[in-house]
Amino acid sequence: MNPSDAASALVGSKLRIALLGVLVVGGAVGGAFALGVLGVPSVAAVDNTFGDVTNETTEIETDLVVSNPNPVGIGLDGVSVNYTVSMNDIEMAQGGREGVRVGTGNSTLELETELRNDEIPPWWVSHVRNGERTTVDIDATATSERLGRGVDFSRSREIQTDLLGAFNSDETRPVNADSLLADDPVLYINETRGEWGSVSETETPIDMAFTVYNPNLEPYAVTEIGYDITMNGVKMGSGQTGEGYVISSQSTETVEFTTALQNRRLDDWWVTHLDEDVRGHQVTGLRIEFYAVIEFPGGGEVTVPLDALTYEETIETDIFGEGDDVRNGSDSSGGEADGDNTTDSGTDDESGTDDESGTGDGSGTDDGSGTDDGSGTDDGNGTDDDTQNGSDDDDDGVLPV
């Protein structure tokens, strides 16, 4: 055999060996997928923030971290992801993507969905009926079409407000008429009470009671008490009592009446609540102003602004826990409460597979090709290094949402 023939035979042999090696490796990987030896890609974290807000819609921007525990990437037909955002079981937004390409480790998908602002009134009704508590549920699923299996991810966050708590007061406040018809103070308000009434789909009533004392030697008639309610300057309701009260001389009388927020105006308020330029992001100023019409024994009547009873309360929410990260040392499994009266809890449940899904730190980002840039790596134990700072292995070290 001449040297050229020997060289050709040698090269051909090496090519055949290399091709055989590729086929063996490919077959082994395919077989591993088919047998379920390799893990199913899972959702490692979901991070939501509010984006642009219009009078009709609110944009929800979502960073959804998909964790692929396998040593190989999965192509465009490999993975689909879907997620739902609910508040007190009311579906507020839903999104997803089909044909996701994910590399090994973590890949971050940037998704956008729209929340219709006309869903805010039904949520508000549920919030008040539930004792001013809202449970925000994030449910996501990553499904491997190749394996025919998926992994479910859930995270819950509780929001609590107390709009009327500070209105309940035993502070004595004078009422001055600034009128020639009577000496001031004409009355004293010794106590104020307020609680939510029976909320309906159209309005949110507030049942109020004032304990009024008349220090004078003559009886006064309070013929009307009126109110105006605003939230971030948006007029939410106004009205007046339908009956009068006679406050006897040097006696006390309890005046009861009901105010109401008009729920149809809540979507207008919602826009201001998210507008950072109004009072700050997710901040609202509630204001209730009162006036009384007092009739004196001589027949004169005067309208008195009850400035001492003006009620102001700041409402702050953090619906998605923007900026919080349980992987920075806090224990998400315990549901740590933050300054906005919220708590977090979450689970990761793989349907039909073992727990080999592996989780990451969410720092891996998509480089445009849909693959991870390598910044989020696994420590070889099925969990990311950052998840060891105070979080349980079963908690996946994910973001609170």
Side-chain angles (χ1 to χ4, degrees), residues 46-383:
V46 180
D47 184 16
N48 291 300
T49 59
F50 288 111
D52 294 334
V53 182
T54 69
N55 290 332
E56 291 78 29
T57 60
T58 301
E59 185 179 81
I60 298 178
E61 299 174 347
T62 301
D63 287 342
L64 192 148
V65 181
V66 177
S67 176
N68 177 16
N70 304 301
V72 294
I74 299 178
L76 292 175
D77 61 345
V79 177
S80 62
V81 294
N82 294 281
Y83 71 97
T84 303
V85 180
S86 301
M87 295 167 63
N88 283 345
D89 295 328
I90 298 172
E91 185 176 299
M92 307 299 289
Q94 186 178 48
R97 186 177 297 175
E98 301 291 332
V100 176
R101 178 179 177 84
V102 293
T104 60
N106 290 337
S107 297
T108 299
L109 308 178
E110 296 181 355
L111 307 173
E112 292 182 358
T113 54
E114 285 189 347
L115 179 157
R116 292 197 57 82
N117 295 347
D118 54 16
E119 293 295 331
I120 296 303
W123 159 71
W124 172 270
V125 170
S126 73
H127 182 70
V128 175
R129 285 176 175 171
N130 200 36
E132 290 191 58
R133 292 176 181 268
T134 289
T135 300
V136 181
D137 291 316
I138 310 295
D139 296 301
T141 301
T143 302
S144 171
E145 297 179 8
R146 181 175 298 177
L147 299 180
R149 286 176 291 180
V151 177
D152 295 328
F153 170 94
S154 333
R155 181 143 303 271
S156 295
R157 179 177 181 82
E158 185 175 273
I159 303 165
Q160 183 178 359
T161 59
D162 185 9
L163 276 68
L164 302 181
F167 187 77
N168 297 311
S169 172
D170 296 329
E171 178 187 357
T172 296
R173 285 156 283 184
V175 176
N176 296 321
D178 295 325
S179 172
L180 298 176
L181 299 176
D183 295 330
D184 286 330
V186 292
L187 297 170
Y188 286 97
I189 307 294
N190 290 338
E191 183 181 15
T192 56
R193 292 287 179 264
E195 62 181 12
W196 297 111
S198 181
V199 61
S200 69
E201 302 303 317
T202 58
E203 67 176 17
T204 306
I206 307 172
D207 296 331
M208 293 188 166
F210 297 164
T211 301
V212 182
Y213 174 72
N214 178 7
N216 300 283
L217 298 177
E218 297 177 319
Y220 290 159
V222 179
T223 60
E224 180 182 305
I225 293 181
Y227 67 91
D228 291 288
I229 306 175
T230 58
M231 294 170 66
N232 277 351
V234 177
K235 189 172 183 178
M236 299 300 300
S238 62
Q240 58 281 324
T241 57
E243 61 178 308
Y245 293 83
V246 176
I247 315 298
S248 301
S249 170
Q250 297 181 335
S251 297
T252 298
E253 183 74 24
T254 299
V255 177
E256 298 178 340
F257 62 101
T258 299
T259 65
L261 283 72
Q262 300 304 310
N263 295 348
R264 68 180 183 276
R265 296 172 181 164
L266 285 166
D267 52 351
D268 295 329
W269 155 75
W270 173 257
V271 175
T272 70
H273 185 63
L274 298 185
D275 190 341
E276 190 168 341
D277 294 333
V278 177
R279 291 179 67 95
H281 185 55
Q282 297 193 53
V283 180
T284 287
L286 168 68
R287 183 179 177 90
I288 308 177
E289 299 177 276
F290 302 94
Y291 70 86
V293 178
I294 300 176
E295 184 179 288
F296 300 113
E301 189 177 81
V302 62
T303 299
V304 181
L306 302 179
D307 294 335
L309 295 183
T310 296
Y311 180 65
E312 294 182 290
E313 182 68 22
T314 299
I315 308 164
E316 298 184 12
T317 62
D318 190 5
I319 292 175
F320 293 133
E322 299 177 37
D324 288 352
D325 191 338
V326 296
R327 289 167 301 185
N328 291 334
S330 62
D331 185 2
S332 65
S333 63
E336 180 184 13
D338 62 21
D340 298 313
N341 296 321
T342 59
T343 57
D344 300 305
S345 61
T347 59
D348 190 358
D349 176 37
E350 181 177 345
S351 54
T353 64
D354 58 19
D355 61 356
E356 296 178 15
S357 57
T359 60
D361 64 357
S363 61
T365 57
D366 198 317
D367 63 2
S369 64
T371 61
D372 187 77
D373 64 2
S375 59
T377 58
D378 193 281
D379 65 0
N381 297 320
T383 59

